[in-house]
Amino acid sequence: MITTSPPLREVRALPWGTLGLLTLAVLSHPFFALGFASLGAAWSTPEYSHGPLIPLISLYLFARELHHSPLTLEARPQRWQGVAVIAVALALAVFGSRAQIADFVTYALIVWMMGAVLLSMGWQAGKRHWKPVLHLIFMLPLPQILYWKLTIALQLVSSELGVMLVRAADIPVHLSGNVIDLGVYKLQVADACSGLRYLFPILSFSYLFGILYRGPFWHKAVLFVMAAPLTVLLNSLRIGMVAILVDAYGIEQAEGFLHVFEGWVIFGAAIAILSLTAIGLQRLVAEPKPLSEALDLDYRRFAPEARRLRNLAPSRDLGLAVVLTGVALALWSGLPQMTTLPPERAPLSSFPTQIDGWQGTRRPLEPATETVLAASDYLNAVYTDPAQDAPVNLFVAWYADQSQGDGIHSPEVCLPVGGWEVSAFRPHRIALPHRAPFEVNRAIITKGLNRQLVYYWFDGRGRAMTSDWRAKLSVIVDGITRGRTDGALVRYVTPIRRDEDIRAADRRLTRFIGQSLPRLSASIPD
């Protein structure tokens, strides 16, 4: 009897290349844990609520570009560049984690993604895919200091343009800082109305628009560059319309559904204007195309492109990246955890209310102001002296840890919110009996006929600094070298009477600083 054996099944080899890449991702994850936590917190805010969509759009762009890539890579592609980029990314992540600066870690994550693409596809093929990776930047929160700088700039521009629209409607209006005064009603251009809520998603959309657009490079550049001014102009239109509706129908028109609905209208209008701009740009070329053809919206064959990952070939460079990352993780796990505990200090509630003839009255901040301030401890008190012509306001905000995004921001951000305008600003050197001369920021602020003299500086672990950028940099350095990221903002304010010489107000502030500052050292440790 003749028997036949069953046919042998084809045994498919394990996708070692794909498994190696997944192993590399798992080993790299702990280096970016702080960044992932920062992204989760940022995406829960209105300004960055679009964040979860960005990786999906980048994945679409990546799969779309694979249509134009060869099905098989070159025989022996150069992959060592990917190993080098991943090493740089891990080094940045380690630095950011040790200093507890989440922004370094999140940006290092983008660098790591580019390294993974180069490692998987090789230098020649991988470098063509930088655009989907760069698009991931739009999911990241801005560094806090840059966020506040951009916020105040957009607030002021939006306020000015919005008031121009209100005046064009023959409505009497006065702008003080970023407070729109309609007489009966006053509107504040708050952080949510600064334009940032729309700026980041519109920038992302214009970047995507530029990639998909079929046309000269300068056309793409125009579509991207116009996103920021377009956002500001549309937001100004929104603010102006709110002011007009408030003047006609009451303050409730600035709140509720209309406030949210206008945001969606602004975003939709921006998309429509970008589309019309693309149509207009097409008319400048020799053979114009309709928008449906000018935009490369190819969405076919994504499943076959995704299956390419199973064919990712293993390589010595991929194995080297896995080994180096594993060794780095072992060393990283063995390092002692950085602590950023500030030294012992006296709470600001113990700061005296009576100082050499000055009698102080504490004034707590409004709950909403305290939330925005996010200080660990603060003091807000007004001191009067019968021998002096005007009182002095002393404000101190102390932060135990400035490494997690919360921290000091310049009074330049806060002053316009209250309707104050800065009419003069310069560094000012003061000399006190008990310490060496040091520089402070000196500003004269006005609101209507009222004027005030302001001295302020950033007190960073024994150093008085006038630059908020320098103060943030010192936090990074001291966080690594000293294990401390605490710091404070110190601000003195006094009114300038209408018939008073400004030099008298300078002398009043300098005298009170000399009397009160030594007592602050117990609450702001060096």
Side-chain angles (χ1 to χ4, degrees):
M1 179 180 225
I2 300 175
T3 60
T4 59
S5 58
L8 295 176
R9 290 185 179 179
E10 180 181 356
V11 179
R12 184 179 179 85
L14 290 175
W16 291 109
T18 304
L19 292 176
L21 188 61
L22 291 175
T23 302
L24 178 64
V26 171
L27 292 176
S28 301
H29 178 270
F31 293 96
F32 301 101
L34 179 62
F36 287 123
S38 175
L39 286 179
W43 290 352
S44 64
T45 64
E47 287 78 9
Y48 301 103
S49 57
H50 66 284
L53 296 176
I54 300 300
L56 298 177
I57 297 174
S58 288
L59 186 61
Y60 159 76
L61 292 176
F62 183 76
R64 172 185 166 276
E65 289 190 353
L66 282 178
H67 292 173
H68 309 292
S69 299
L71 294 176
T72 57
L73 301 177
E74 54 185 302
R76 300 185 65 181
Q78 293 184 358
R79 304 177 190 266
W80 64 266
Q81 295 91 340
V83 179
V85 172
I86 286 176
V88 170
L90 294 180
L92 289 174
V94 168
F95 175 80
S97 297
R98 296 293 288 176
Q100 287 294 294
I101 306 296
D103 294 332
F104 277 96
V105 182
T106 53
Y107 281 90
L109 178 61
I110 308 300
V111 178
W112 187 93
M113 293 296 296
M114 191 66 226
V117 171
L118 294 175
L119 188 61
S120 303
M121 307 184 68
W123 171 253
Q124 292 299 326
K127 68 181 182 180
R128 293 194 293 265
H129 295 276
W130 61 270
K131 288 179 285 188
V133 177
L134 183 61
H135 181 258
L136 292 171
I137 288 180
F138 296 109
M139 74 178 182
L140 304 183
L142 280 177
Q144 194 73 359
I145 185 171
L146 185 58
Y147 172 87
W148 286 116
K149 294 285 187 181
L150 189 56
T151 293
I152 190 60
L154 289 177
Q155 283 180 346
L156 293 175
V157 173
S158 298
S159 300
E160 292 282 355
L161 295 177
V163 165
M164 289 175 60
L165 177 63
V166 176
R167 288 171 179 161
D170 291 329
I171 297 175
V173 63
H174 174 69
L175 179 63
S176 180
N178 63 0
V179 177
I180 300 175
D181 189 349
L182 295 167
V184 179
Y185 304 109
K186 292 184 179 181
L187 300 176
Q188 284 194 357
V189 184
D191 295 342
C193 296
S194 65
L196 285 179
R197 183 174 297 184
Y198 320 115
L199 177 61
F200 300 119
I202 291 176
L203 277 174
S204 170
F205 185 84
S206 63
Y207 181 85
L208 174 64
F209 216 87
I211 291 177
L212 300 180
Y213 178 80
R214 293 169 173 168
F217 176 79
W218 73 269
H219 286 195
K220 299 173 180 285
V222 167
L223 291 171
F224 179 72
V225 171
M226 68 180 294
L230 176 62
T231 304
V232 174
L233 288 173
L234 290 174
N235 190 61
S236 301
L237 175 64
R238 174 176 179 263
I239 293 170
M241 291 303 298
V242 168
I244 292 172
L245 289 172
V246 167
D247 181 74
Y249 302 106
I251 194 67
E252 64 275 2
Q253 295 299 326
E255 302 172 354
F257 174 75
L258 179 62
H259 199 73
V260 177
F261 176 72
E262 284 177 343
W264 285 105
V265 170
I266 292 299
F267 185 71
I271 294 176
I273 292 174
L274 286 172
S275 300
L276 291 174
T277 303
I279 294 173
L281 290 172
Q282 276 294 312
R283 295 184 179 274
L284 300 178
V285 299
E287 298 180 1
K289 302 175 183 177
L291 186 61
S292 58
E293 297 181 15
L295 294 179
D296 183 7
L297 296 174
D298 186 8
Y299 53 87
R300 301 164 299 166
R301 298 181 64 247
F302 281 172
E305 305 300 348
R307 285 196 289 270
R308 288 198 196 188
L309 293 175
R310 296 186 306 183
N311 301 325
L312 180 63
S315 66
R316 288 179 297 179
D317 291 316
L318 177 58
L320 177 62
V322 171
V323 171
L324 290 178
T325 303
V327 171
L329 179 60
L331 296 175
W332 164 259
S333 303
L335 289 177
Q337 188 174 3
M338 285 286 293
T339 57
T340 55
L341 295 177
E344 294 184 1
R345 54 178 291 274
L348 287 168
S349 59
S350 65
F351 189 79
T353 55
Q354 195 165 14
I355 303 174
D356 297 340
W358 294 87
Q359 182 63 44
T361 302
R362 300 182 187 276
R363 295 184 177 179
L365 300 176
E366 295 291 335
T369 304
E370 282 193 33
T371 301
V372 174
L373 183 67
S376 305
D377 193 9
Y378 78 89
L379 168 67
N380 185 40
V382 176
Y383 287 83
T384 57
D385 184 349
Q388 297 294 324
D389 295 328
V392 173
N393 169 243
L394 170 59
F395 175 79
V396 180
W398 182 82
Y399 296 82
D401 182 11
Q402 301 179 78
S403 63
Q404 302 299 321
D406 296 332
I408 303 167
H409 57 267
S410 173
E412 295 176 68
V413 176
C414 307
L415 292 175
V417 176
W420 292 92
E421 297 179 346
V422 179
S423 61
F425 185 88
R426 64 178 176 84
H428 178 68
R429 194 170 186 83
I430 60 175
L432 303 176
H434 56 83
R435 63 181 292 174
F438 65 101
E439 279 195 347
V440 301
N441 289 309
R442 177 184 182 272
I444 298 175
I445 59 176
T446 60
K447 182 165 64 173
L449 297 177
N450 298 319
R451 293 191 303 161
Q452 292 187 346
L453 178 64
V454 182
Y455 286 0
Y456 75 89
W457 66 91
F458 307 99
D459 196 309
R461 301 155 302 283
R463 296 186 298 274
M465 293 167 281
T466 57
S467 168
D468 46 0
W469 290 100
R470 183 187 170 195
K472 291 296 183 183
L473 181 61
S474 71
V475 169
I476 297 174
V477 174
D478 287 351
I480 295 175
T481 60
R482 301 175 59 186
R484 287 182 57 186
T485 60
D486 56 295
L489 167 69
V490 182
R491 187 191 71 194
Y492 290 83
V493 183
T494 188
I496 305 172
R497 294 183 293 105
R498 296 185 185 181
D499 58 346
E500 183 178 29
D501 188 339
I502 187 65
R503 289 174 294 184
D506 280 308
R507 288 192 294 270
R508 181 164 59 250
L509 275 190
T510 302
R511 179 185 173 214
F512 184 68
I513 290 173
Q515 294 169 325
S516 60
L517 194 56
R519 294 171 169 84
L520 271 177
S521 60
S523 300
I524 307 177
D526 292 343

